[in-house]
Every structure is written in C-alpha cells, then in structure tokens.
Amino acid sequence: MTKMSLGSYPHMLGFEQLERLLERTAKSGNEGYPPFNIEQVSDYAYRITLAVAGFAEDDLSITVEDRQLVIRGRQAEDMSDRVFLHRGIAARQFQRSFVLADGVEVGAASMENGLLHIDLERSRPETIVQTIQINKRGK
C-alpha cells in the first residue's frame, strides 16, 4: 500500500507544514503516564487535565515550544529514612506534549485534588473575502 501525502492532492496547496506537524505528533512517543483528559468546554475553548497525584506545583513546568505544549514533572528526591514494605506509587518524572494548531493559545493552569488543569483557547476565525483584479495584457 502506498502512503499518500497531502502534497499528492492537487487542490491542497501549502499544507506541507500541516503534514510535518502530523508526522511530528505521531512520533512524539508519549507514554501512558500520566493519564489525561481533553475536554471541549465551548466552541473555542478546551481543557487538558492531567492526573498528577503526588506532584506539587513546584514539581511541574508548562512551556510552549514551537507550537507544542510541553508539561514536565519531576519530583525532588526523597532523602528521608522511610522504609517501604511496598512501593506502588510511582515517583517518576514525565513529559507530556500536545501539538497546538495555529490560533490556539494556552491560558491559565491550576491544580486541584491532584489534577493539573490547563485551559486553551482558539481564536475565532475572521471571514475574509478578497477580490482579485484581473489585469489585461497589452497587445
């Protein structure tokens, strides 16, 4: 089976960047940790919620790098004299990334009951009608 690209469609002009974006998303390699939800809270707003139990606000960082939302978590090493008989709660670091479309901006972030909420808003598209003048060629 031949892989079709957006450039293979003659009516799809200038979508090379979208194709690269899709490939980057497919290769991002996000593991299943931490689990997350994505909600559409209105026509132009979204919320990403990550389950980050055990992480404090200072253990987390949220950045936007090249249209990619990146959430990183790293807990400080526990140097106490605690002896675990069973350790089933992971204290591992993580990185989760989400590719943002043009016009999607990251708003506020908040923590509540072990959940990190990140609000996103998409700008409302403007309807633009452009008339192109047809120039007459000189004879």
Side-chain angles (χ1 to χ4, degrees):
M1 181 178 272
T2 305
K3 178 185 169 191
M4 296 295 288
S5 69
L6 293 175
S8 303
Y9 298 95
H11 297 92
M12 305 276 294
L13 303 174
F15 284 90
E16 297 82 11
Q17 182 178 355
L18 177 61
E19 188 168 20
R20 285 192 299 274
L21 187 68
L22 291 171
E23 288 175 4
R24 185 173 80 185
T25 302
K27 293 178 185 176
S28 67
N30 278 330
E31 296 178 15
Y33 179 77
F36 65 93
N37 292 336
I38 300 175
E39 302 172 65
Q40 183 169 1
V41 294
S42 74
D43 287 343
Y44 296 97
Y46 309 94
R47 173 174 270 189
I48 297 173
T49 301
L50 284 86
V52 292
F55 286 86
E57 288 89 344
D58 292 340
D59 297 333
L60 302 168
S61 73
I62 304 168
T63 58
V64 177
E65 306 166 10
D66 190 26
R67 303 301 310 153
Q68 192 165 2
L69 172 65
V70 180
I71 302 109
R72 293 181 180 93
R74 181 176 202 159
Q75 292 176 317
E77 292 292 323
D78 185 7
M79 297 300 195
S80 68
D81 294 332
R82 296 166 37 184
V83 176
F84 290 95
L85 300 179
H86 172 76
R87 189 165 188 170
I89 300 173
R92 60 182 175 170
Q93 63 184 13
F94 70 87
Q95 176 175 314
R96 267 275 180 214
S97 49
F98 302 88
V99 178
L100 303 175
D102 286 338
V104 174
E105 299 297 326
V106 178
S110 62
M111 287 272 289
E112 178 184 14
N113 299 325
L115 299 174
L116 173 64
H117 303 288
I118 303 169
D119 294 322
L120 309 171
E121 188 162 341
R122 182 172 47 131
S123 59
R124 291 172 171 77
E126 295 179 30
T127 302
I128 299 173
V129 176
Q130 182 179 6
T131 302
I132 309 299
Q133 175 110 14
I134 300 173
N135 296 319
K136 295 181 183 179
R137 291 189 181 198
K139 293 186 179 183

